[in-house]
Amino acid sequence: MATPSSSPAVPQAGAPGADAPVAGTSLWKDAVKRLRKNRLAVFGFVVVCLVVTASLVGPWIIERATGYTYDYIPTDPALVNAQPPFTAPDGSFSWLHPMGTDDAGRDILARVLLGGRISLMVGVISTFVSLIIGITVGATAGYVGGKVDEAIMRGVDVLYSIPYMMVVIVLLAFFGGRSAIGQLVLLFIALGAVSWLTMARIVRGQVMSLKSQEFILAARATGVPASRIILRHLVPNTLGPVIVYATLTIPSVMLLESFLSFLGLGVQAPLASWGSLAADGIQNIAVFPWQLICPGLTMAVTLFSLNFLGDGLRDALDPQMRKG
Amino acid sequence: MARFILRRLLVIVPMLLVVVSLTWGLIRVAPGNFYSGEKKLPAAIEKNIREKYGLDKPWYVQYGRMLANTARGDFGESLKYPGTTVNSILATTLPVSATLGILAYLLALVVGITAGTIAALKQNSRVDYASMAAAMLGISMPNFVLGPTLVLLFALRWYWLPPARWDGFSLHLILPVLTLSAVYMAYIARLTRSGMLEVLRSNYIRTARAKGLTERDVVVRHAVRGGLLPVVSFSGPALAFLISGTVVVERIFALPGLGNYFINANLNRDEPLIIGIVAFMSIAVLLFNLLVDVAYAFFDPRIRY
């Protein structure tokens, strides 16, 4: 939609001037100010920070505090069965397992936090992969234009109509039988490879509207090579919408990973993600519902917060949208 | 208009050619085969199998045969379910997926448009915040968490509804339809809200108000038409996607839909079945997008083709 730096921002310029007598706030400072006023976005930001911190240090703390082994199997064999949240083996109240335990007696909170590491990693790294592909393709198409642009964008159209599940399955098959870590890296790449299409379109649109502006003309007139113009002048100016879309890509990629894990194609057994934990939980839904609900709800809350944060960022960076 | 539609229908042919060819190439370069399993087959048996399915022929012969099959609309026999044609699989699974998808989308349209319109009319009110938060929750809640939770409550705890299985047009449909439509409801509510907000500020709405129409007439007769344009363009791909089956919901509720077959076909490298389903899906996408463009002209009288 509208670019923060192009003409649609102009009619706005007169109005905020009245209540902001101090001159010289940058686009980014303005955006941060607007973001902080958006309570839902701040809430999202706080929750995301909490979840990230908990996933990073939580498992370590649990290990120290409870004396469980590194994979959270209780050392006491009497504990090897499923227990509801906040319940001791004898049925009394206990703080030991706030999310209960799974069939092997493993603490679900610890599993959820460990799974959070994987899920968040998938979200961030795959989004990064999709960013790189999307920006490269989109910027090239938008800057070069003409036949190249036409060919690239038709290609993107075709890729849109190829089911992403098929692409992911085929990509995952290429390196089958690797180690758990190898599988994970592959998952990052596969998920990134199917989620760059919209990013490419956004960047292309931005670049097209930017490239006819004077500063690009000036750069070209002084003999700056095309690759440098794209990297140093065009891409930095598309960052606003790109950051916004990337923030919204993270939850969607995490959701995609969880679907794959649900189908048994994603994160493999020794490792766990929120998706694979929830998928395990579904097996026991009638008897041990907390095994699904705890990881599922954690995931929903995190995605919810990420989405609010992304929405808030969009409103903050795009004055046109903010009115709506 | 007729010329526009005809031109768009003709585009389907090259699009289909490209999509089917790409799919075929992708399956061919992927490691693994429909007959390869845990154990490696003896060479003689493998040779026989390859001969039987024409895999010993040069690639262009196989490619040509696949194209000819696609052109005739007869994709041949499935490799994994011998004796069953791809077309018969499509014919039995499609009604399931289509019933589910269309019902879910209708529900999503009704709820989403209502919620979105109310939210837009009462912008920044409590109703607005509540419905937008609910919509965000709908987007963030994975299907496979929502579905089993609904089953747990309505089927296993209160015994109001059946938990799973396909039983034609019956109570069995309620939970899967609800699960499937949640995300779409949420998207439609958000699209409707932002579309309506934009339209409500436009000049023709001011004109409608100025000529003394009641607020109700302004909204129902003028604003809704323009405000729903984003929903209309969202509907094409969404419906095509819904009709071609949604694995997760099909797995949770044990429904014999297209999505499950598609995933299994991919895992089994069941080439005719994959090609058949992909061809069907891309035709569906193109047709629904065409339908959307036609609907656009109806919703926005300024558009001429």
Side-chain angles (χ1 to χ4, degrees):
Chain A
M1 293 287 277
T3 60
S5 56
S6 67
S7 53
V10 173
Q12 283 265 309
D19 52 15
V22 187
T25 52
S26 71
L27 170 77
W28 295 101
K29 267 193 201 152
D30 260 6
V32 170
K33 211 170 96 189
R34 278 198 289 266
L35 191 62
R36 283 169 68 173
K37 264 200 222 139
N38 184 341
R39 254 186 271 162
L40 284 173
V42 172
F43 161 82
F45 181 72
V46 171
V47 172
V48 170
C49 287
L50 279 179
V51 171
V52 171
T53 321
S55 301
L56 288 181
V57 300
W60 184 80
I61 293 177
I62 291 175
E63 204 181 322
R64 287 302 135 100
T66 60
Y68 276 31
T69 59
Y70 71 97
D71 49 359
Y72 306 96
I73 293 176
T75 34
D76 179 359
L79 293 176
V80 184
N81 57 25
Q83 279 160 29
F86 293 117
T87 311
D90 58 2
S92 63
F93 181 86
S94 146
W95 283 100
L96 189 60
H97 302 296
M99 287 189 178
T101 62
D102 68 4
D103 303 4
R106 290 179 293 188
D107 179 38
I108 290 183
L109 176 62
R111 302 269 296 156
V112 165
L113 292 177
L114 274 178
R117 284 186 187 173
I118 304 277
S119 286
L120 292 167
M121 217 151 72
V122 167
V124 172
I125 298 181
S126 302
T127 300
F128 192 68
V129 173
S130 86
L131 263 180
I132 292 178
I133 307 178
I135 289 182
T136 316
V137 173
T140 313
Y143 186 74
V144 179
K147 289 239 169 67
V148 178
D149 176 37
E150 184 77 9
I152 291 180
M153 292 332 276
R154 282 296 85 73
V156 168
D157 285 348
V158 170
L159 289 182
Y160 259 114
S161 50
I162 290 192
Y164 66 86
M165 274 294 187
M166 185 176 81
V167 181
V168 171
I169 290 175
V170 168
L171 283 178
L172 288 177
F174 267 113
F175 301 87
R178 290 286 170 90
S179 64
I181 300 294
Q183 285 267 329
L184 200 60
V185 172
L186 204 66
L187 194 63
F188 295 152
I189 298 172
L191 288 172
V194 295
S195 45
W196 58 271
L197 296 169
T198 308
M199 182 66 83
R201 280 193 174 167
I202 291 174
V203 174
R204 170 180 173 267
Q206 288 286 309
V207 168
M208 294 232 302
S209 73
L210 283 170
K211 77 171 175 186
S212 52
Q213 290 186 18
E214 285 87 355
F215 71 103
I216 299 298
L217 198 66
R220 217 181 297 163
T222 49
V224 182
S227 60
R228 209 174 140 80
I229 293 184
I230 292 181
L231 275 182
R232 298 296 295 271
H233 299 285
L234 287 175
V235 169
N237 276 298
T238 63
L239 274 186
V242 166
I243 289 176
V244 169
Y245 189 69
T247 322
L248 294 170
T249 305
I250 294 177
S252 80
V253 169
M254 286 169 68
L255 209 53
L256 203 58
E257 182 276 325
S258 71
F259 285 146
L260 287 177
S261 289
F262 171 78
L263 298 174
L265 302 169
V267 175
Q268 297 301 322
L271 298 174
S273 72
W274 287 335
S276 70
L277 286 174
D280 291 346
I282 292 174
Q283 313 296 327
N284 297 330
I285 175 109
V287 203
F288 313 128
W290 63 89
Q291 292 182 3
L292 165 72
I293 290 170
C294 291
L297 218 58
T298 313
M299 179 167 180
V301 168
T302 310
L303 296 183
F304 186 68
S305 312
L306 274 168
N307 277 325
F308 264 129
L309 183 60
D311 259 21
L313 269 178
R314 185 185 59 208
D315 295 350
L317 281 171
D318 193 340
Q320 274 282 301
M321 295 291 288
R322 192 167 51 102
K323 284 188 294 180
Chain B
M1 191 70 164
R3 273 188 61 195
F4 167 78
I5 293 176
L6 192 68
R7 208 169 57 220
R8 289 287 296 268
L9 283 175
L10 286 178
V11 172
I12 290 182
V13 177
M15 263 312 250
L16 194 61
L17 179 73
V18 175
V19 168
V20 164
S21 305
L22 253 172
T23 307
W24 185 82
L26 210 59
I27 311 165
R28 280 307 165 96
V29 294
N33 235 318
F34 70 95
Y35 54 77
S36 59
E38 301 270 297
K39 229 164 51 182
K40 198 161 165 19
L41 286 176
I45 296 181
E46 189 175 338
K47 186 165 163 282
N48 283 342
I49 291 180
R50 294 187 71 87
E51 247 166 45
K52 179 172 180 225
Y53 290 102
L55 294 173
D56 52 344
K57 303 251 167 53
W59 69 268
Y60 48 84
V61 174
Q62 299 181 40
Y63 177 66
R65 198 182 52 184
M66 184 276 296
L67 282 188
N69 280 351
T70 309
R72 275 187 291 123
D74 174 12
F75 301 97
E77 239 180 58
S78 156
L79 301 175
K80 205 68 191 179
Y81 314 98
T84 322
T85 62
V86 172
N87 287 359
S88 72
I89 292 179
L90 281 173
T92 51
T93 57
L94 193 60
V96 178
S97 295
T99 310
L100 205 62
I102 293 172
L103 282 179
Y105 203 72
L106 283 180
L107 180 66
L109 276 177
V110 173
V111 178
I113 291 176
T114 315
T117 310
I118 293 174
L121 290 176
K122 307 202 162 151
Q123 196 192 353
N124 295 333
S125 70
R126 253 189 219 161
V127 187
D128 181 19
Y129 288 139
S131 52
M132 284 306 111
M136 196 60 105
L137 197 65
I139 292 173
S140 308
M141 182 79 108
N143 266 344
F144 58 82
V145 176
L146 181 63
T149 311
L150 290 178
V151 170
L152 185 67
L153 293 177
F154 290 98
L156 303 179
R157 190 120 313 162
W158 298 325
Y159 303 106
W160 289 353
L161 294 167
R165 289 187 66 77
W166 175 252
D167 193 25
F169 219 77
S170 67
L171 285 180
H172 288 254
L173 275 172
I174 293 180
L175 289 181
V177 165
L178 268 181
T179 309
L180 197 53
S181 70
V183 180
Y184 293 91
M185 246 179 231
Y187 272 117
I188 292 171
R190 285 162 58 90
L191 287 171
T192 309
R193 178 178 178 271
S194 62
M196 287 293 279
L197 281 178
E198 206 168 320
V199 165
L200 284 174
R201 275 195 299 266
S202 64
N203 289 330
Y204 76 91
I205 293 299
R206 198 177 309 148
T207 310
R209 287 211 176 109
K211 72 181 182 189
L213 287 185
T214 60
E215 191 61 28
R216 199 192 127 88
D217 272 350
V218 171
V219 172
V220 174
R221 299 197 33 198
H222 295 275
V224 166
R225 257 185 158 193
L228 287 188
L229 280 178
V231 176
V232 172
S233 54
F234 172 76
S235 296
L239 259 175
F241 181 79
L242 273 174
I243 284 176
S244 16
T246 39
V247 213
V248 175
V249 171
E250 285 168 18
R251 287 256 172 112
I252 293 171
F253 294 98
L255 303 173
L258 200 50
N260 217 348
Y261 272 93
F262 183 58
I263 295 299
N264 287 336
N266 273 300
L267 292 173
N268 297 332
R269 308 278 185 279
D270 191 344
E271 192 185 300
L273 190 51
I274 300 177
I275 299 277
I277 297 177
V278 168
F280 167 77
M281 281 183 186
S282 48
I283 292 176
V285 170
L286 293 167
L287 279 183
F288 276 108
N289 277 335
L290 176 61
L291 221 62
V292 162
D293 287 339
V294 173
Y296 243 81
F298 166 75
F299 274 88
D300 188 346
R302 285 168 301 182
I303 292 175
R304 295 259 182 280
Y305 293 116

